[in-house]
Amino acid sequence: MYEQLLEELTQHKAKLVAVSKMKSNADILELYEKGQRIFGENVVKDLTMKMDQLPEDIQWHMIGHLQRNKVKYLIPRVDMIHSVDSLRLLKEIDKRAGNHEIKQKILLQVAVAQEETKHGFNFNNLIEFHEGNILQSFPNVEVCGVMGMATFTVDEELVRNEFQQLKIYFDTLKERFYKDKDTFCEISMGMSGDYKIALEEGATMVRIGSLLFGPRACAI
Ligand SMILES: *Cc1c(COP(=O)(O)O)cnc(C)c1O
């Protein structure tokens, strides 16, 4: 499955975040031995534990909702935070990254799904924050692009529309605020059930768990 998936991603020039939440170190190492280096987790405690126990050259990505009081456990060790969904969180990340004199790579999570439970900036707010130069006022943060989650549904057209929307949001931000920033280049969208659609609609990173590792004991 892994090799096949990589081939598919290569065709679309997209990267794989192997979502290892609730999976054992042995499971992770098996994929690591095959060459996988980017792994994603959604719980801070699990992420830091795995960071301590697994090889140094793994690039850990935080993909789940992040509380401000836990940012300090991730920085400076996490490679990228996909789930930045508020200015307050951004501010905390900037502060902690500054303490370590690093620039923290992040993605702006944007709300595109119909479910209210899914986190993310409202796109109009995001535009306002950029117009007011607020988003650009965090010197220790590198904004690398956007992240989004589609509605959990069998309606493929709805999912496709939401991914198209996220691509439009990315293009708009790029054109208006990040034209000269080569580092603003990532669209993180697509999971096991919808990654093919995401690739067709321009994903540069997909976050895939159950397809790689098998189903999780309980769904998160
Ligand atoms: C769990 C999770 C994924 C991966 O889900 P699968 O359906 O197992 O591929 C992707 N993104 C986020 C934010 C997740 O929490």
Side-chain angles (χ1 to χ4, degrees):
M1 184 62 228
Y2 180 63
E3 287 78 8
Q4 198 182 323
L5 183 59
L6 277 193
E7 207 178 296
E8 221 177 329
L9 295 184
T10 306
Q11 280 168 14
H12 287 90
K13 298 191 173 64
K15 290 182 280 285
L16 172 64
V17 179
V19 177
S20 50
K21 61 188 184 195
M22 301 181 70
K23 294 294 166 182
S24 69
N25 289 352
D27 286 337
I28 295 172
L29 282 172
E30 200 179 309
L31 219 50
Y32 177 87
E33 297 300 336
K34 293 183 181 170
Q36 181 64 26
R37 289 296 177 273
I38 307 177
F39 289 88
E41 292 279 335
N42 69 337
V43 174
V44 170
K45 200 151 62 74
D46 297 346
L47 180 46
T48 53
M49 203 175 67
K50 287 173 179 176
M51 274 174 173
D52 288 339
Q53 296 170 350
L54 288 160
E56 284 277 322
D57 63 338
I58 289 182
Q59 296 159 36
W60 292 102
H61 286 205
M62 176 60 186
I63 62 170
H65 183 61
L66 178 57
Q67 288 170 291
R68 278 177 302 148
N69 60 355
K70 303 219 170 123
V71 169
K72 57 177 177 284
Y73 303 118
L74 295 183
I75 294 176
R77 297 161 75 203
V78 75
D79 182 59
M80 186 180 275
I81 302 172
H82 289 227
S83 41
V84 176
D85 57 4
S86 74
L87 281 183
R88 293 164 80 210
L89 178 58
L90 205 49
K91 195 171 170 196
E92 176 66 16
I93 292 171
D94 184 61
K95 179 180 131 192
R96 297 288 172 181
N99 290 346
H100 291 280
E101 297 180 12
I102 62 152
K103 233 175 144 116
Q104 179 61 53
K105 290 190 276 177
I106 66 114
L107 300 177
L108 300 167
Q109 183 170 357
V110 190
V112 289
Q114 296 197 330
E115 292 135 295
E116 301 255 321
T117 50
K118 288 197 171 144
H119 296 276
F121 282 103
N122 166 287
F123 183 66
N124 291 332
N125 291 341
L126 214 43
I127 291 287
E128 281 166 25
F129 297 149
H130 281 88
E131 282 177 339
N133 267 318
I134 299 167
L135 239 296
Q136 297 88 327
S137 68
F138 300 108
N140 310 305
V141 166
E142 183 90 75
V143 182
C144 297
V146 298
M147 181 272 221
M149 293 173 86
T151 304
F152 187 70
T153 172
V154 292
D155 182 352
E156 290 200 355
E157 276 318 295
L158 179 60
V159 170
R160 188 177 296 280
N161 284 337
E162 291 172 353
F163 286 153
Q164 283 170 351
Q165 196 60 58
L166 187 61
K167 171 75 162 84
I168 291 170
Y169 290 162
F170 171 85
D171 289 342
T172 306
L173 289 170
K174 178 82 187 173
E175 172 68 25
R176 291 189 58 182
F177 307 108
Y178 297 95
K179 224 171 178 163
D180 303 321
K181 286 250 179 199
D182 292 342
T183 43
F184 188 90
C185 61
E186 303 290 1
I187 304 175
S188 166
M189 61 184 185
M191 313 184 3
S192 293
D194 55 20
Y195 80 93
K196 283 178 194 284
I197 303 174
L199 289 174
E200 286 166 10
E201 300 306 333
T204 66
M205 270 183 184
V206 294
R207 309 177 309 270
I208 296 187
S210 43
L211 196 66
L212 281 172
F213 292 105
R216 288 176 294 272
C218 81
I220 292 189

